[in-house]
Amino acid sequence: MRVAIIGAGLAGVTTAYELARQGHEVQVFEKDTSVATGASFAPPGLIAPALLAARPPARMAWRGAPRQLGWRWAHWRARRASDRHALPVPAAVLQLATQGQALMADWRQALQLEVEQRSGVTLLWRTAKDYKQAATLIARLQAAQLPYRELDAAACLALEPGLNPDTRLHGGLHLPQDESANARQFSQALKLEAQRLGARWQFNADVLKIEPGQQPSLHLATGPAQRVDAVIVCAGKGAPALLSPLGLRMPWGTVHTHTLTAPLRQLEAHPDLGPSHTVIDMALGVSMTQLGQRVRIGGGQELGGTAGQPGAPSMSALHQAAHDWFPGALQAGGQQRWKASRLLLPDELPVIGASGLPGVWLNVGHGESGWALSGGAAQWLGERLAGRDGGVDPSALEASRLR
């Protein structure tokens, strides 16, 4: 089957590799100059099915944008409804996340991909009052049958010796199977493997229109229309412009996320500077991960606002978390500040699978769980293209759930 994939972020690259591995003739169209230039460039990098299952309260600053007021209300209602359930995330989404994590680990090993990676995620609470929310998260982890370990302050410091002992700390929750990795590094390595399998990559290719049908076609800004057997939209924030003219108008919100990546200071007298795995400050909603000889600090989610320069309040929260937990660990020079736009539905769930239009498939809206979901989504899309259900209930994933 000839398959066109629009977008070369994590979703597009993993889909291209998996479909090429399954024997499809794959061509990827990306409007930018390379893979992973948008939301996959420097994200926090969490591959965290357990964190997805626990679903801690979202921390999202409101940055005006009156046109998104309705989305904010819908998000609050969806979150409130899901919080009533032991498993607020559908089983199909968790299934894709756990399968995807295992699949990407297999790829890293089998293909000998050199990717910066850290195992284990620990959630930190500063006060006993705030730690009460851990009970809900634990109940959800138990319902999903995912491992965890409760930690008191002393156990947190033993597990993560680089933590500042002077920062107030009540306790934590350790998720041993969750991990973090370098998304852009992985995307670049997997792109080469997909290419070896025959996948073709067309960069600086701006897709203007999709024509659904038994043999759908793509109309590009330059060059002739491309006719294929299936189109998979992995275009991230570019998806609405392609889907709305087809009548697929979904209630997207625009969320901006921030990261700060800084060189880790190397001091022989203090070998434990910086995080040894991923820690998340639950008060600030900020994650901190060591990637190679650097630390990536992520968070500062904003609903509304504008793309472009990182927001000062959000960046301040990242610096605050680094200073509180790992003072003196970051070098002042060579720091990279990054901000990206992501599409998010009010229920924070992705849209993966059939679009309802002939020949058009979707793989968008993953939010912060894109790393974990991308491999499982790619594999499942291959099953769906072949006319099989893939052992996953599509009702919670496909576009029909929004009608």
Side-chain angles (χ1 to χ4, degrees):
M1 183 178 286
R2 293 171 301 161
V3 181
I5 297 171
I6 305 175
L10 265 173
V13 172
T14 52
T15 302
Y17 173 75
E18 176 61 16
L19 294 187
R21 192 190 66 79
Q22 292 182 17
H24 295 285
E25 183 182 328
V26 176
Q27 185 165 5
V28 183
F29 298 87
E30 167 58 49
K31 67 179 181 180
D32 218 324
T33 58
S34 182
V35 301
T37 58
S40 302
F41 179 78
L46 292 170
I47 312 172
L51 187 63
L52 174 62
R55 203 174 194 183
R59 290 189 59 86
M60 202 177 301
W62 174 244
R63 298 288 181 243
R67 65 185 178 184
Q68 295 205 53
L69 187 59
W71 187 93
R72 190 184 186 191
W73 170 248
H75 176 258
W76 178 83
R77 292 182 61 191
R79 188 82 196 202
R80 187 181 180 189
S82 70
D83 285 348
R84 298 192 187 105
H85 303 285
L87 268 177
V89 177
V93 176
L94 292 180
Q95 186 176 343
L96 288 189
T98 53
Q99 289 178 355
Q101 182 186 31
L103 183 64
M104 286 190 289
D106 289 344
W107 289 349
R108 288 199 304 261
Q109 183 176 3
L111 302 174
Q112 298 184 335
L113 303 180
E114 294 185 5
V115 180
E116 297 164 337
Q117 180 265 348
R118 292 277 167 165
S119 297
V121 172
T122 300
L123 317 182
L124 302 177
W125 284 271
R126 300 183 185 228
T127 68
K129 179 181 178 181
D130 290 340
Y131 186 72
K132 290 179 180 179
Q133 71 177 223
T136 301
L137 275 57
I138 289 170
R140 293 170 181 170
L141 290 166
Q142 291 173 340
Q145 300 183 335
L146 291 169
Y148 67 92
R149 182 158 65 99
E150 287 191 79
L151 309 171
D152 59 17
C156 288
L157 292 169
L159 180 66
E160 189 58 70
L163 288 173
N164 181 7
D166 296 326
T167 294
R168 189 177 185 184
L169 173 60
H170 176 78
L173 200 60
H174 183 60
L175 309 176
Q177 291 185 356
D178 285 357
E179 57 186 319
S180 300
N182 189 319
R184 184 166 185 258
Q185 194 179 59
F186 175 82
S187 298
Q188 291 174 325
L190 198 64
K191 179 254 183 186
L192 295 177
E193 297 298 330
Q195 195 166 305
R196 290 190 181 101
L197 293 175
R200 292 175 294 153
W201 303 80
Q202 190 168 332
F203 296 105
N204 298 306
D206 193 5
V207 178
L208 301 180
K209 186 174 71 169
I210 302 170
E211 281 191 28
Q214 290 300 109
Q215 284 194 314
S217 61
L218 304 182
H219 294 262
L220 308 176
T222 58
Q226 305 282 327
R227 190 169 293 280
V228 292
D229 298 310
V231 174
I232 303 178
V233 180
C234 304
K237 66 180 182 180
L242 293 170
L243 300 178
S244 292
L246 304 179
L248 295 175
R249 295 179 178 87
M250 302 179 193
W252 296 114
T254 301
V255 176
H256 297 100
T257 190
H258 294 71
T259 62
L260 171 69
T261 307
L264 179 63
R265 195 180 302 278
Q266 304 294 314
L267 296 177
E268 189 172 334
H270 299 280
D272 294 323
L273 277 178
S276 62
H277 60 295
T278 296
V279 297
I280 300 178
D281 182 324
M282 298 301 289
L284 296 174
V286 172
S287 66
M288 292 157 278
T289 303
Q290 184 175 338
L291 294 176
Q293 296 303 312
R294 296 160 297 134
V295 176
R296 178 159 295 164
I297 306 162
Q301 293 195 82
E302 301 173 351
L303 174 63
T306 58
Q309 290 300 313
S314 294
M315 293 304 301
S316 177
L318 306 191
H319 284 287
Q320 183 67 50
H323 174 75
D324 288 352
W325 296 110
F326 302 103
L330 308 185
Q331 295 185 33
Q335 295 188 359
Q336 177 193 63
R337 293 153 51 95
W338 179 79
K339 177 181 181 181
S341 303
R342 294 185 289 103
L343 293 180
L344 197 65
L345 290 169
D347 60 9
E348 300 181 37
L349 298 176
V351 183
I352 304 169
S355 70
L357 299 172
V360 180
W361 301 79
L362 306 178
N363 190 7
V364 292
H366 305 99
E368 288 295 306
S369 302
W371 240 124
L373 289 169
S374 59
Q379 193 173 58
W380 187 62
L381 280 166
E383 292 289 304
R384 298 290 283 148
L385 285 172
R388 299 185 292 267
D389 64 15
V392 177
D393 179 10
S395 63
L397 296 168
E398 297 191 327
S400 57
R401 70 181 173 85
L402 300 171
R403 299 192 184 115

